[in-house]
Amino acid sequence: SQTIHQWPATLVQPVGSPLSLECTVEGTSNPNLYWYRQAAGRGLQLLFYSVGIGQISSEVPQNLSASRPQDRQFILSSKKLLLSDSGFYLCAWRTGSSGELFFGEGSRLTVL
Amino acid sequence: SQQGEEDPQALSIQEGENATMNCSYKTSINNLQWYRQNSGRGLVHLILIRSNEREKHSGRLRVTLDTSKKSSSLLITASRAADTASYFCATDRNTGGFKTIFGAGTRLFVKA
């Protein structure tokens, strides 16, 4: 069966520090991968998606970047965090271009 | 910008009552999905309805879709305290693929 892992689960970082959130998927090949951000009590904002290794589509110009160095690995990064980067980051995958998304448990980032 | 918009933003009901949540969207879609999120957790897919379907059932869930009004509703019958969660609609557009856009969600509280 397929599983998705996201880490770290919780992160407190100072403004200006770097960020790396990692997501891996097991049990499937060539998944489409997604990063979403959720502000407190709000909906999900699509940040990045990837349809293959090295292929990244950015939805929102911002302080973040994404990379997909391996088929089932998706990394969210920042060189210098801003206060506004605080939020709940969710990784998700699916096999097709539409349909059910499978989410990880999320990474809560607090920038102080 | 986010496509789906749910209402109400929050809903509080007694156990045993029915809960109805609505979702509106703006562009033509391939399908519409409903997800559930327990506090601080990842999202879980509940049900998907395709653009050529009008109604779909899954257990205590009933989803309707009106493409002429660009709206959908999720009905949870005989609610339980365990149904307390946030519920989100999400749409896959029928052009462009890959992007699933979420609404702001309805926070449901079921009182025992």
Side-chain angles (χ1 to χ4, degrees):
Chain A
S1 63
Q2 301 91 353
T3 56
I4 179 169
H5 303 282
Q6 228 186 293
W7 70 93
T10 305
L11 198 58
V12 180
Q13 292 286 99
V15 170
S17 64
L19 171 73
S20 181
L21 300 179
E22 189 163 341
C23 172
T24 60
V25 179
E26 296 177 357
T28 187
S29 297
N30 196 30
N32 294 320
L33 297 171
Y34 298 79
W35 278 112
Y36 286 89
R37 178 170 61 197
Q38 185 178 31
R42 304 292 299 276
L44 277 67
Q45 179 186 33
L46 179 60
L47 301 176
F48 302 95
Y49 67 92
S50 171
V51 301
I53 296 173
Q55 300 179 62
I56 308 294
S57 295
S58 174
E59 287 301 296
V60 183
Q62 60 205 331
N63 188 41
L64 302 171
S65 62
S67 62
R68 185 170 176 174
Q70 299 181 46
D71 180 46
R72 290 170 288 178
Q73 184 185 29
F74 206 20
I75 298 171
L76 184 69
S77 303
S78 173
K79 292 182 179 178
K80 290 186 178 182
L81 284 168
L82 306 172
L83 287 174
S84 58
D85 292 324
S86 293
F88 192 48
Y89 289 82
L90 288 154
C91 181
W93 73 273
R94 65 179 167 206
T95 52
S97 62
S98 65
E100 181 177 357
L101 281 165
F102 299 91
F103 282 85
E105 285 300 310
S107 298
R108 185 164 302 283
L109 171 66
T110 302
V111 182
L112 302 175
Chain B
S1 63
Q2 296 300 314
Q3 161 125 294
E5 294 292 338
E6 290 95 330
D7 76 88
Q9 291 185 334
L11 181 61
S12 182
I13 59 175
Q14 291 291 139
E15 205 167 30
E17 294 179 340
N18 296 341
T20 299
M21 291 160 268
N22 303 297
C23 168
S24 61
Y25 57 92
K26 297 176 183 176
T27 65
S28 296
I29 61 171
N30 183 28
N31 64 65
L32 186 143
Q33 303 161 55
W34 285 91
Y35 289 79
R36 167 191 168 130
Q37 183 183 35
N38 288 342
S39 181
R41 306 293 297 275
L43 278 72
V44 175
H45 184 265
L46 295 175
I47 196 166
L48 178 151
I49 186 166
R50 302 193 185 284
S51 60
N52 61 354
E53 297 176 308
R54 292 296 168 259
E55 188 171 312
K56 202 162 184 179
H57 298 256
S58 177
R60 293 185 295 114
L61 305 180
R62 173 178 170 255
V63 170
T64 63
L65 178 64
D66 187 335
T67 53
S68 66
K69 296 181 179 178
K70 291 186 168 58
S71 67
S72 173
S73 67
L74 171 66
L75 169 67
I76 303 175
T77 59
S79 64
R80 306 165 182 169
D83 294 328
T84 295
S86 292
Y87 292 83
F88 297 89
C89 71
T91 54
D92 288 327
R93 299 177 188 178
N94 61 5
T95 58
F98 299 108
K99 304 177 195 178
T100 298
I101 305 299
F102 285 78
T106 293
R107 299 179 71 178
L108 174 65
F109 181 65
V110 181
K111 294 176 282 188

mmCIF file of all heavy atoms in Angstrom, chain B residues 25-66:
data_model
loop_
_atom_site.group_PDB
_atom_site.id
_atom_site.type_symbol
_atom_site.label_atom_id
_atom_site.label_comp_id
_atom_site.label_asym_id
_atom_site.label_seq_id
_atom_site.Cartn_x
_atom_site.Cartn_y
_atom_site.Cartn_z
ATOM 1 N N TYR B 25 -18.033 27.569 -7.004
ATOM 2 C CA TYR B 25 -16.775 27.685 -7.726
ATOM 3 C C TYR B 25 -16.986 28.555 -8.951
ATOM 4 O O TYR B 25 -18.125 28.922 -9.270
ATOM 5 C CB TYR B 25 -16.230 26.308 -8.103
ATOM 6 C CG TYR B 25 -17.182 25.465 -8.919
ATOM 7 C CD1 TYR B 25 -17.155 25.492 -10.310
ATOM 8 C CD2 TYR B 25 -18.100 24.629 -8.291
ATOM 9 C CE1 TYR B 25 -18.027 24.721 -11.054
ATOM 10 C CE2 TYR B 25 -18.980 23.861 -9.034
ATOM 11 C CZ TYR B 25 -18.936 23.905 -10.402
ATOM 12 O OH TYR B 25 -19.813 23.136 -11.136
ATOM 13 N N LYS B 26 -15.892 28.884 -9.636
ATOM 14 C CA LYS B 26 -15.999 29.929 -10.652
ATOM 15 C C LYS B 26 -15.806 29.446 -12.083
ATOM 16 O O LYS B 26 -16.397 30.004 -13.006
ATOM 17 C CB LYS B 26 -14.981 31.030 -10.353
ATOM 18 C CG LYS B 26 -15.235 31.740 -9.026
ATOM 19 C CD LYS B 26 -14.159 32.762 -8.717
ATOM 20 C CE LYS B 26 -14.398 33.404 -7.368
ATOM 21 N NZ LYS B 26 -13.306 34.348 -6.998
ATOM 22 N N THR B 27 -14.961 28.441 -12.287
ATOM 23 C CA THR B 27 -14.665 28.031 -13.663
ATOM 24 C C THR B 27 -15.222 26.649 -13.951
ATOM 25 O O THR B 27 -15.684 25.950 -13.055
ATOM 26 C CB THR B 27 -13.148 28.020 -13.907
ATOM 27 O OG1 THR B 27 -12.564 27.010 -13.074
ATOM 28 C CG2 THR B 27 -12.531 29.359 -13.570
ATOM 29 N N SER B 28 -15.161 26.237 -15.201
ATOM 30 C CA SER B 28 -15.603 24.891 -15.570
ATOM 31 C C SER B 28 -14.691 23.853 -14.931
ATOM 32 O O SER B 28 -13.484 24.044 -14.851
ATOM 33 C CB SER B 28 -15.572 24.740 -17.090
ATOM 34 O OG SER B 28 -16.495 25.613 -17.681
ATOM 35 N N ILE B 29 -15.293 22.768 -14.489
ATOM 36 C CA ILE B 29 -14.528 21.777 -13.748
ATOM 37 C C ILE B 29 -14.635 20.392 -14.380
ATOM 38 O O ILE B 29 -15.581 20.091 -15.119
ATOM 39 C CB ILE B 29 -14.979 21.692 -12.271
ATOM 40 C CG1 ILE B 29 -16.456 21.282 -12.184
ATOM 41 C CG2 ILE B 29 -14.720 23.021 -11.569
ATOM 42 C CD1 ILE B 29 -16.912 20.971 -10.776
ATOM 43 N N ASN B 30 -13.663 19.569 -14.050
ATOM 44 C CA ASN B 30 -13.654 18.158 -14.424
ATOM 45 C C ASN B 30 -14.344 17.339 -13.336
ATOM 46 O O ASN B 30 -15.094 16.412 -13.623
ATOM 47 C CB ASN B 30 -12.204 17.707 -14.611
ATOM 48 C CG ASN B 30 -12.102 16.274 -15.071
ATOM 49 O OD1 ASN B 30 -13.002 15.762 -15.735
ATOM 50 N ND2 ASN B 30 -11.028 15.616 -14.698
ATOM 51 N N ASN B 31 -14.057 17.692 -12.107
ATOM 52 C CA ASN B 31 -14.707 17.024 -10.989
ATOM 53 C C ASN B 31 -14.647 17.930 -9.765
ATOM 54 O O ASN B 31 -13.932 18.943 -9.763
ATOM 55 C CB ASN B 31 -14.047 15.675 -10.676
ATOM 56 C CG ASN B 31 -12.612 15.834 -10.208
ATOM 57 O OD1 ASN B 31 -12.352 16.405 -9.159
ATOM 58 N ND2 ASN B 31 -11.679 15.325 -10.998
ATOM 59 N N LEU B 32 -15.404 17.570 -8.758
ATOM 60 C CA LEU B 32 -15.385 18.286 -7.490
ATOM 61 C C LEU B 32 -15.238 17.249 -6.387
ATOM 62 O O LEU B 32 -15.845 16.169 -6.442
ATOM 63 C CB LEU B 32 -16.664 19.110 -7.298
ATOM 64 C CG LEU B 32 -16.725 20.023 -6.063
ATOM 65 C CD1 LEU B 32 -17.450 21.331 -6.395
ATOM 66 C CD2 LEU B 32 -17.373 19.346 -4.884
ATOM 67 N N GLN B 33 -14.410 17.573 -5.417
ATOM 68 C CA GLN B 33 -14.131 16.633 -4.334
ATOM 69 C C GLN B 33 -14.412 17.302 -2.988
ATOM 70 O O GLN B 33 -14.316 18.521 -2.857
ATOM 71 C CB GLN B 33 -12.655 16.226 -4.386
ATOM 72 C CG GLN B 33 -12.238 15.611 -5.702
ATOM 73 C CD GLN B 33 -10.743 15.644 -5.898
ATOM 74 O OE1 GLN B 33 -10.012 15.158 -5.043
ATOM 75 N NE2 GLN B 33 -10.286 16.198 -7.006
ATOM 76 N N TRP B 34 -14.723 16.475 -2.014
ATOM 77 C CA TRP B 34 -14.860 16.931 -0.633
ATOM 78 C C TRP B 34 -13.825 16.198 0.220
ATOM 79 O O TRP B 34 -13.618 14.981 0.059
ATOM 80 C CB TRP B 34 -16.259 16.674 -0.107
ATOM 81 C CG TRP B 34 -17.284 17.632 -0.649
ATOM 82 C CD1 TRP B 34 -18.047 17.476 -1.767
ATOM 83 C CD2 TRP B 34 -17.653 18.904 -0.086
ATOM 84 N NE1 TRP B 34 -18.864 18.576 -1.939
ATOM 85 C CE2 TRP B 34 -18.645 19.455 -0.922
ATOM 86 C CE3 TRP B 34 -17.249 19.631 1.036
ATOM 87 C CZ2 TRP B 34 -19.243 20.700 -0.674
ATOM 88 C CZ3 TRP B 34 -17.839 20.856 1.294
ATOM 89 C CH2 TRP B 34 -18.826 21.382 0.445
ATOM 90 N N TYR B 35 -13.202 16.979 1.103
ATOM 91 C CA TYR B 35 -12.196 16.445 2.013
ATOM 92 C C TYR B 35 -12.566 16.823 3.439
ATOM 93 O O TYR B 35 -13.233 17.824 3.682
ATOM 94 C CB TYR B 35 -10.804 17.030 1.709
ATOM 95 C CG TYR B 35 -10.184 16.548 0.432
ATOM 96 C CD1 TYR B 35 -10.568 17.079 -0.793
ATOM 97 C CD2 TYR B 35 -9.194 15.557 0.437
ATOM 98 C CE1 TYR B 35 -9.993 16.643 -1.976
ATOM 99 C CE2 TYR B 35 -8.608 15.120 -0.743
ATOM 100 C CZ TYR B 35 -9.017 15.668 -1.940
ATOM 101 O OH TYR B 35 -8.440 15.231 -3.114
ATOM 102 N N ARG B 36 -12.042 16.045 4.355
ATOM 103 C CA ARG B 36 -12.225 16.304 5.781
ATOM 104 C C ARG B 36 -10.850 16.496 6.417
ATOM 105 O O ARG B 36 -9.882 15.819 6.047
ATOM 106 C CB ARG B 36 -12.937 15.106 6.405
ATOM 107 C CG ARG B 36 -12.927 15.085 7.912
ATOM 108 C CD ARG B 36 -13.417 13.760 8.446
ATOM 109 N NE ARG B 36 -13.143 13.652 9.859
ATOM 110 C CZ ARG B 36 -14.037 13.303 10.763
ATOM 111 N NH1 ARG B 36 -15.269 13.008 10.394
ATOM 112 N NH2 ARG B 36 -13.710 13.229 12.038
ATOM 113 N N GLN B 37 -10.775 17.408 7.392
ATOM 114 C CA GLN B 37 -9.533 17.633 8.114
ATOM 115 C C GLN B 37 -9.829 17.728 9.601
ATOM 116 O O GLN B 37 -10.519 18.648 10.044
ATOM 117 C CB GLN B 37 -8.831 18.917 7.640
ATOM 118 C CG GLN B 37 -7.490 19.147 8.330
ATOM 119 C CD GLN B 37 -6.840 20.449 7.912
ATOM 120 O OE1 GLN B 37 -7.522 21.439 7.663
ATOM 121 N NE2 GLN B 37 -5.508 20.463 7.820
ATOM 122 N N ASN B 38 -9.292 16.802 10.348
ATOM 123 C CA ASN B 38 -9.323 16.924 11.801
ATOM 124 C C ASN B 38 -8.261 17.942 12.208
ATOM 125 O O ASN B 38 -7.253 18.114 11.515
ATOM 126 C CB ASN B 38 -9.060 15.583 12.466
ATOM 127 C CG ASN B 38 -10.233 14.636 12.307
ATOM 128 O OD1 ASN B 38 -11.346 15.039 11.998
ATOM 129 N ND2 ASN B 38 -9.991 13.356 12.515
ATOM 130 N N SER B 39 -8.462 18.574 13.330
ATOM 131 C CA SER B 39 -7.602 19.669 13.759
ATOM 132 C C SER B 39 -6.138 19.253 13.781
ATOM 133 O O SER B 39 -5.767 18.259 14.412
ATOM 134 C CB SER B 39 -8.037 20.139 15.148
ATOM 135 O OG SER B 39 -7.236 21.210 15.573
ATOM 136 N N GLY B 40 -5.308 20.005 13.070
ATOM 137 C CA GLY B 40 -3.876 19.764 13.086
ATOM 138 C C GLY B 40 -3.406 18.553 12.301
ATOM 139 O O GLY B 40 -2.255 18.139 12.443
ATOM 140 N N ARG B 41 -4.275 18.001 11.472
ATOM 141 C CA ARG B 41 -3.934 16.795 10.723
ATOM 142 C C ARG B 41 -3.993 17.061 9.231
ATOM 143 O O ARG B 41 -4.377 18.122 8.763
ATOM 144 C CB ARG B 41 -4.912 15.667 11.075
ATOM 145 C CG ARG B 41 -5.042 15.350 12.543
ATOM 146 C CD ARG B 41 -3.757 14.761 13.107
ATOM 147 N NE ARG B 41 -3.404 13.497 12.491
ATOM 148 C CZ ARG B 41 -3.872 12.315 12.881
ATOM 149 N NH1 ARG B 41 -4.737 12.239 13.872
ATOM 150 N NH2 ARG B 41 -3.474 11.213 12.270
ATOM 151 N N GLY B 42 -3.591 16.066 8.448
ATOM 152 C CA GLY B 42 -3.716 16.154 7.010
ATOM 153 C C GLY B 42 -5.158 15.966 6.569
ATOM 154 O O GLY B 42 -6.023 15.606 7.360
ATOM 155 N N LEU B 43 -5.415 16.229 5.280
ATOM 156 C CA LEU B 43 -6.771 16.085 4.762
ATOM 157 C C LEU B 43 -7.016 14.650 4.311
ATOM 158 O O LEU B 43 -6.108 13.972 3.828
ATOM 159 C CB LEU B 43 -6.996 17.025 3.581
ATOM 160 C CG LEU B 43 -7.341 18.464 3.920
ATOM 161 C CD1 LEU B 43 -6.133 19.207 4.473
ATOM 162 C CD2 LEU B 43 -7.892 19.178 2.694
ATOM 163 N N VAL B 44 -8.259 14.227 4.446
ATOM 164 C CA VAL B 44 -8.672 12.901 4.010
ATOM 165 C C VAL B 44 -9.781 13.054 2.980
ATOM 166 O O VAL B 44 -10.752 13.771 3.207
ATOM 167 C CB VAL B 44 -9.168 12.064 5.207
ATOM 168 C CG1 VAL B 44 -9.702 10.726 4.723
ATOM 169 C CG2 VAL B 44 -8.052 11.859 6.216
ATOM 170 N N HIS B 45 -9.619 12.382 1.868
ATOM 171 C CA HIS B 45 -10.599 12.438 0.792
ATOM 172 C C HIS B 45 -11.880 11.725 1.200
ATOM 173 O O HIS B 45 -11.848 10.608 1.752
ATOM 174 C CB HIS B 45 -10.004 11.776 -0.442
ATOM 175 C CG HIS B 45 -10.863 11.851 -1.657
ATOM 176 N ND1 HIS B 45 -11.722 10.847 -2.021
ATOM 177 C CD2 HIS B 45 -10.988 12.816 -2.591
ATOM 178 C CE1 HIS B 45 -12.342 11.189 -3.133
ATOM 179 N NE2 HIS B 45 -11.903 12.377 -3.502
ATOM 180 N N LEU B 46 -13.023 12.379 0.962
ATOM 181 C CA LEU B 46 -14.310 11.775 1.298
ATOM 182 C C LEU B 46 -15.031 11.247 0.073
ATOM 183 O O LEU B 46 -15.497 10.101 0.045
ATOM 184 C CB LEU B 46 -15.211 12.814 1.987
ATOM 185 C CG LEU B 46 -14.743 13.321 3.348
ATOM 186 C CD1 LEU B 46 -15.667 14.425 3.836
ATOM 187 C CD2 LEU B 46 -14.663 12.186 4.357
ATOM 188 N N ILE B 47 -15.151 12.078 -0.943
ATOM 189 C CA ILE B 47 -15.981 11.704 -2.078
ATOM 190 C C ILE B 47 -15.637 12.595 -3.272
ATOM 191 O O ILE B 47 -15.243 13.751 -3.102
ATOM 192 C CB ILE B 47 -17.476 11.825 -1.694
ATOM 193 C CG1 ILE B 47 -18.382 11.101 -2.681
ATOM 194 C CG2 ILE B 47 -17.873 13.272 -1.482
ATOM 195 C CD1 ILE B 47 -19.803 10.906 -2.160
ATOM 196 N N LEU B 48 -15.769 12.036 -4.456
ATOM 197 C CA LEU B 48 -15.527 12.780 -5.696
ATOM 198 C C LEU B 48 -16.760 12.665 -6.565
ATOM 199 O O LEU B 48 -17.329 11.571 -6.708
ATOM 200 C CB LEU B 48 -14.306 12.209 -6.414
ATOM 201 C CG LEU B 48 -13.896 12.824 -7.768
ATOM 202 C CD1 LEU B 48 -12.386 12.675 -7.960
ATOM 203 C CD2 LEU B 48 -14.631 12.195 -8.946
ATOM 204 N N ILE B 49 -17.179 13.768 -7.138
ATOM 205 C CA ILE B 49 -18.311 13.765 -8.064
ATOM 206 C C ILE B 49 -17.840 14.385 -9.377
ATOM 207 O O ILE B 49 -17.190 15.432 -9.386
ATOM 208 C CB ILE B 49 -19.531 14.502 -7.464
ATOM 209 C CG1 ILE B 49 -20.744 14.351 -8.375
ATOM 210 C CG2 ILE B 49 -19.233 15.960 -7.141
ATOM 211 C CD1 ILE B 49 -22.058 14.741 -7.700
ATOM 212 N N ARG B 50 -18.101 13.712 -10.469
ATOM 213 C CA ARG B 50 -17.653 14.179 -11.774
ATOM 214 C C ARG B 50 -18.628 15.211 -12.325
ATOM 215 O O ARG B 50 -19.784 15.279 -11.921
ATOM 216 C CB ARG B 50 -17.517 13.007 -12.732
ATOM 217 C CG ARG B 50 -16.550 11.953 -12.217
ATOM 218 C CD ARG B 50 -16.154 10.934 -13.252
ATOM 219 N NE ARG B 50 -15.325 9.891 -12.657
ATOM 220 C CZ ARG B 50 -14.048 10.038 -12.344
ATOM 221 N NH1 ARG B 50 -13.441 11.181 -12.572
ATOM 222 N NH2 ARG B 50 -13.371 9.043 -11.821
ATOM 223 N N SER B 51 -18.184 15.958 -13.283
ATOM 224 C CA SER B 51 -18.992 17.065 -13.806
ATOM 225 C C SER B 51 -20.267 16.586 -14.488
ATOM 226 O O SER B 51 -21.227 17.341 -14.615
ATOM 227 C CB SER B 51 -18.166 17.904 -14.785
ATOM 228 O OG SER B 51 -17.734 17.103 -15.870
ATOM 229 N N ASN B 52 -20.306 15.319 -14.915
ATOM 230 C CA ASN B 52 -21.517 14.799 -15.566
ATOM 231 C C ASN B 52 -22.435 14.057 -14.585
ATOM 232 O O ASN B 52 -23.417 13.439 -14.992
ATOM 233 C CB ASN B 52 -21.160 13.883 -16.735
ATOM 234 C CG ASN B 52 -20.352 12.671 -16.302
ATOM 235 O OD1 ASN B 52 -19.961 12.560 -15.142
ATOM 236 N ND2 ASN B 52 -20.111 11.770 -17.231
ATOM 237 N N GLU B 53 -22.111 14.117 -13.314
ATOM 238 C CA GLU B 53 -22.949 13.498 -12.280
ATOM 239 C C GLU B 53 -23.680 14.584 -11.520
ATOM 240 O O GLU B 53 -23.187 15.710 -11.372
ATOM 241 C CB GLU B 53 -22.094 12.670 -11.311
ATOM 242 C CG GLU B 53 -21.395 11.500 -11.989
ATOM 243 C CD GLU B 53 -20.475 10.751 -11.037
ATOM 244 O OE1 GLU B 53 -19.625 11.400 -10.385
ATOM 245 O OE2 GLU B 53 -20.621 9.516 -10.943
ATOM 246 N N ARG B 54 -24.838 14.255 -10.990
ATOM 247 C CA ARG B 54 -25.636 15.238 -10.256
ATOM 248 C C ARG B 54 -25.695 14.925 -8.775
ATOM 249 O O ARG B 54 -25.900 15.832 -7.948
ATOM 250 C CB ARG B 54 -27.048 15.293 -10.836
ATOM 251 C CG ARG B 54 -27.083 15.871 -12.224
ATOM 252 C CD ARG B 54 -26.623 17.334 -12.227
ATOM 253 N NE ARG B 54 -26.372 17.824 -13.575
ATOM 254 C CZ ARG B 54 -25.171 17.931 -14.103
ATOM 255 N NH1 ARG B 54 -24.090 17.600 -13.406
ATOM 256 N NH2 ARG B 54 -25.013 18.381 -15.331
ATOM 257 N N GLU B 55 -25.573 13.645 -8.424
ATOM 258 C CA GLU B 55 -25.679 13.266 -7.020
ATOM 259 C C GLU B 55 -24.860 12.006 -6.798
ATOM 260 O O GLU B 55 -24.766 11.136 -7.677
ATOM 261 C CB GLU B 55 -27.141 13.010 -6.659
ATOM 262 C CG GLU B 55 -27.406 12.790 -5.197
ATOM 263 C CD GLU B 55 -28.892 12.758 -4.869
ATOM 264 O OE1 GLU B 55 -29.608 13.660 -5.340
ATOM 265 O OE2 GLU B 55 -29.321 11.834 -4.172
ATOM 266 N N LYS B 56 -24.290 11.935 -5.590
ATOM 267 C CA LYS B 56 -23.510 10.758 -5.244
ATOM 268 C C LYS B 56 -23.637 10.501 -3.747
ATOM 269 O O LYS B 56 -23.715 11.447 -2.953
ATOM 270 C CB LYS B 56 -22.049 10.958 -5.624
ATOM 271 C CG LYS B 56 -21.274 9.676 -5.812
ATOM 272 C CD LYS B 56 -19.999 9.946 -6.599
ATOM 273 C CE LYS B 56 -19.261 8.665 -6.868
ATOM 274 N NZ LYS B 56 -18.028 8.901 -7.651
ATOM 275 N N HIS B 57 -23.656 9.212 -3.377
ATOM 276 C CA HIS B 57 -23.795 8.846 -1.979
ATOM 277 C C HIS B 57 -22.617 7.987 -1.552
ATOM 278 O O HIS B 57 -22.071 7.213 -2.329
ATOM 279 C CB HIS B 57 -25.082 8.041 -1.765
ATOM 280 C CG HIS B 57 -26.329 8.782 -2.086
ATOM 281 N ND1 HIS B 57 -27.163 9.291 -1.106
ATOM 282 C CD2 HIS B 57 -26.879 9.128 -3.269
ATOM 283 C CE1 HIS B 57 -28.183 9.901 -1.694
ATOM 284 N NE2 HIS B 57 -28.039 9.815 -2.997
ATOM 285 N N SER B 58 -22.244 8.144 -0.282
ATOM 286 C CA SER B 58 -21.246 7.264 0.319
ATOM 287 C C SER B 58 -21.544 7.186 1.806
ATOM 288 O O SER B 58 -21.268 8.139 2.547
ATOM 289 C CB SER B 58 -19.838 7.793 0.077
ATOM 290 O OG SER B 58 -18.872 6.982 0.714
ATOM 291 N N GLY B 59 -22.133 6.086 2.240
ATOM 292 C CA GLY B 59 -22.499 5.959 3.650
ATOM 293 C C GLY B 59 -23.463 7.050 4.077
ATOM 294 O O GLY B 59 -24.526 7.220 3.475
ATOM 295 N N ARG B 60 -23.087 7.843 5.071
ATOM 296 C CA ARG B 60 -23.930 8.943 5.548
ATOM 297 C C ARG B 60 -23.707 10.239 4.768
ATOM 298 O O ARG B 60 -24.275 11.278 5.116
ATOM 299 C CB ARG B 60 -23.660 9.181 7.034
ATOM 300 C CG ARG B 60 -24.095 8.037 7.933
ATOM 301 C CD ARG B 60 -23.920 8.369 9.422
ATOM 302 N NE ARG B 60 -22.523 8.554 9.774
ATOM 303 C CZ ARG B 60 -21.998 9.717 10.161
ATOM 304 N NH1 ARG B 60 -22.744 10.801 10.246
ATOM 305 N NH2 ARG B 60 -20.729 9.789 10.483
ATOM 306 N N LEU B 61 -22.898 10.188 3.745
ATOM 307 C CA LEU B 61 -22.600 11.378 2.952
ATOM 308 C C LEU B 61 -23.417 11.397 1.672
ATOM 309 O O LEU B 61 -23.581 10.379 1.001
ATOM 310 C CB LEU B 61 -21.121 11.416 2.578
ATOM 311 C CG LEU B 61 -20.096 11.332 3.704
ATOM 312 C CD1 LEU B 61 -18.692 11.383 3.129
ATOM 313 C CD2 LEU B 61 -20.309 12.436 4.722
ATOM 314 N N ARG B 62 -23.937 12.581 1.357
ATOM 315 C CA ARG B 62 -24.618 12.784 0.079
ATOM 316 C C ARG B 62 -24.096 14.075 -0.525
ATOM 317 O O ARG B 62 -24.120 15.122 0.110
ATOM 318 C CB ARG B 62 -26.123 12.871 0.280
ATOM 319 C CG ARG B 62 -26.907 13.252 -0.978
ATOM 320 C CD ARG B 62 -28.403 13.270 -0.699
ATOM 321 N NE ARG B 62 -29.143 13.864 -1.815
ATOM 322 C CZ ARG B 62 -29.673 15.090 -1.789
ATOM 323 N NH1 ARG B 62 -29.556 15.844 -0.723
ATOM 324 N NH2 ARG B 62 -30.322 15.543 -2.853
ATOM 325 N N VAL B 63 -23.603 13.981 -1.748
ATOM 326 C CA VAL B 63 -23.065 15.144 -2.439
ATOM 327 C C VAL B 63 -23.911 15.414 -3.674
ATOM 328 O O VAL B 63 -24.280 14.491 -4.396
ATOM 329 C CB VAL B 63 -21.596 14.912 -2.849
ATOM 330 C CG1 VAL B 63 -21.122 16.017 -3.788
ATOM 331 C CG2 VAL B 63 -20.711 14.854 -1.625
ATOM 332 N N THR B 64 -24.223 16.671 -3.886
ATOM 333 C CA THR B 64 -24.898 17.083 -5.114
ATOM 334 C C THR B 64 -24.013 18.068 -5.861
ATOM 335 O O THR B 64 -23.189 18.759 -5.265
ATOM 336 C CB THR B 64 -26.256 17.725 -4.814
ATOM 337 O OG1 THR B 64 -26.050 18.912 -4.037
ATOM 338 C CG2 THR B 64 -27.171 16.765 -4.078
ATOM 339 N N LEU B 65 -24.215 18.112 -7.154
ATOM 340 C CA LEU B 65 -23.458 19.035 -8.003
ATOM 341 C C LEU B 65 -24.402 19.665 -9.016
ATOM 342 O O LEU B 65 -25.136 18.955 -9.709
ATOM 343 C CB LEU B 65 -22.328 18.297 -8.729
ATOM 344 C CG LEU B 65 -21.470 19.132 -9.685
ATOM 345 C CD1 LEU B 65 -20.700 20.212 -8.911
ATOM 346 C CD2 LEU B 65 -20.514 18.242 -10.465
ATOM 347 N N ASP B 66 -24.387 20.978 -9.078
ATOM 348 C CA ASP B 66 -25.178 21.731 -10.063
ATOM 349 C C ASP B 66 -24.205 22.565 -10.886
ATOM 350 O O ASP B 66 -23.771 23.636 -10.453
ATOM 351 C CB ASP B 66 -26.196 22.619 -9.343
ATOM 352 C CG ASP B 66 -27.157 23.297 -10.306
ATOM 353 O OD1 ASP B 66 -26.787 23.490 -11.491
ATOM 354 O OD2 ASP B 66 -28.266 23.659 -9.882
#
